[in-house]
Structures are given as structure tokens and as C-alpha cells.
Amino acid sequence: METIRAKGIRDRRVLEAIGRVPRHLFIDPALQDYAYEDRPLPIGSEQTISQPFTVAYMTSLLQVEPGHKVLEIGTGSGYQTAVLLELGAKVYTVERIKDLYDETKERLHRLGYYPERMVYGDGYKGLPVFAPYDRIIITAAAPYIPEKLVEQLAPGGIMVLPLGQGTQDMVRLIKTPEGEIRTETYDKFTFVPLKPGKA
Ligand code: SAH
């Protein structure tokens, strides 16, 4: 937590939410000694749980308020999901690897975290049945901004995603109340890529 703060995350609600989530319970018991170091760790199926700093950074940009409907693409270990729930969001989360989906659903429920919906499916398509969303977060590298997700963002909504191949720019996309799109570019990160289509 001190490390994240030292790296420049100032949003107190975000820091507190992260402080309430037991990260060691989201990773393989064999790696638990590393759970509170600021680094990404493997979660199986060649995927990783994001570095705490990255989770803090993206969550700060997202500006989540209690009661917001948040769509998360890439459930992974469920760690980011838990942080969003701690902020009082109603979370809809999509994962396209069945093993991770099954494992994480069980884990979140065991830890008392209840997203509004957990869906096994293709995040590029979003989750149109429950749209629009106040906030959308993509937790894997997107080669381009998925159009369907922009459509599912409410007017006044915010979407945060790592954009690009190789290394990514953290991008915040804002849909104005009039429906215009503005984008802001932040620091560079390296994420595993979004997988195309459904497994
Ligand atoms: N938020 C996660 C980090 C996940 S890593 C955590 O806190 O642990 C990115 C995740 O996105 C992986 O679980 C990967 O399987 C998933 N993913 C990749 N492509 C996807 C797609 N097209 N739709 C939905 N999820 C996808």
C-alpha cells in the first residue's frame, strides 16, 4: 500500500478499497509470499493478476461512485472485480477463458464478493443486455477501441483501457452528456493481449 502511494496514487477511496481486498487469496498458494509485492503474478491459463499499482492507477482514472454500473472486460482472478465492489459499484464482468471463469466465480463467492453478473463470453461484444454502463474497464491490452463497448457506455460515462500492441498507452475515453467522444492518453503499461473472438 505504501508502495502504491509512493508511486503517486492519491485517491483515498481507491487506496482504502485496495487495502480491504486480501490479494493473497486471489493467487496460487505457492506464490502467496509475493502477494503484497508490487508485481503481476501468474493466475493460470497464461494470464496474470495485474500489479497493484496498475489496478490502483486504472481504478483512479475510472472515477467510480457508489451505485455505478461498471462493466469489466477480463475478470481474470477477480481481484479488480473485488476492488470495484469495495467501491460500491454494481459490477458486470466478462471472462473468455472457461477455467478462469469457473474458478473465479467460486473464489469471489467464497470471499463474499457478489458481482451483479459474471459472464463467460467475448468481451469485445460487451454485455448489451444490461447496457448502458456508467463505467467500462478493459483489463487486457486492446489493439483498438472496441466499438460495441463505446456504444454500451452511458452518456457522461468513462471507459479506461490499455490501448495498443506490444506496450500500451493507458487511455481514458469520455462520452460527454451530448454523446461526443473525447480521449485522454496517460502512461505506458504492458498487459497481456485481449484474445479475439470466443474460446
Ligand atoms: N482483472 C484481472 C486481470 C486479468 S488479465 C485481475 O484482476 O486478475 C486479463 C484477463 O482478460 C484474462 O483473464 C483473460 O483471459 C481475459 N480476456 C482476454 N481476452 C478476453 C476477451 N476477448 N473477453 C473477455 N476476457 C478476455
Side-chain angles (χ1 to χ4, degrees):
M1 192 62 57
E2 281 315 313
T3 320
I4 301 177
R5 210 191 313 269
K7 287 185 180 177
I9 302 297
R10 292 278 173 267
D11 188 323
R12 201 166 47 84
R13 287 178 56 241
V14 170
L15 290 170
E16 284 171 0
I18 287 177
R20 286 194 295 271
V21 180
R23 190 168 188 255
H24 66 285
L25 300 179
F26 289 77
I27 58 181
D28 192 310
L31 296 170
Q32 283 188 356
D33 284 355
Y34 305 106
Y36 295 98
E37 290 182 14
D38 192 21
R39 51 181 272 191
L41 292 168
I43 53 173
S45 307
E46 291 169 29
Q47 302 303 314
T48 54
I49 178 171
S50 299
Q51 194 174 334
F53 171 71
T54 308
V55 172
Y57 190 100
M58 294 185 82
T59 311
S60 300
L61 286 177
L62 204 59
Q63 297 180 333
V64 177
E65 300 293 337
H68 269 166
K69 277 172 75 180
V70 180
L71 175 64
E72 177 190 32
I73 305 303
T75 316
S77 68
Y79 179 68
Q80 172 77 68
T81 318
V83 171
L84 293 168
L85 289 166
E86 289 283 359
L87 285 166
K90 293 182 186 155
V91 184
Y92 300 75
T93 184
V94 181
E95 172 56 54
R96 58 94 71 196
I97 296 180
K98 188 68 166 61
D99 286 351
L100 275 178
Y101 165 82
D102 288 338
E103 217 175 284
T104 297
K105 190 169 193 172
E106 192 274 323
R107 169 187 298 118
L108 284 172
H109 289 168
R110 177 161 35 87
L111 298 177
Y113 288 113
Y114 291 91
E116 214 65 23
R117 285 286 189 289
M118 298 188 72
V119 174
Y120 164 56
D122 176 15
Y124 276 102
K125 299 199 175 87
L127 206 52
V129 278
F130 303 109
Y133 301 96
D134 301 301
R135 300 289 185 263
I136 299 180
I137 180 170
I138 309 184
T139 70
Y144 56 87
I145 300 177
E147 190 51 44
K148 293 217 165 79
L149 297 184
V150 179
E151 284 168 15
Q152 291 169 35
L153 189 61
I158 295 176
M159 171 154 84
V160 173
L161 71 153
L163 181 64
Q165 276 149 346
T167 61
Q168 296 85 42
D169 289 317
M170 194 59 76
V171 167
R172 172 155 71 180
L173 179 150
I174 294 167
K175 189 183 267 190
T176 67
E178 297 74 37
E180 282 162 33
I181 303 300
R182 272 200 293 128
T183 57
E184 303 166 347
T185 301
Y186 293 88
D187 295 304
K188 297 256 183 226
F189 289 84
T190 308
F191 280 75
V192 291
L194 268 180
K195 292 169 178 290
K198 194 165 172 180

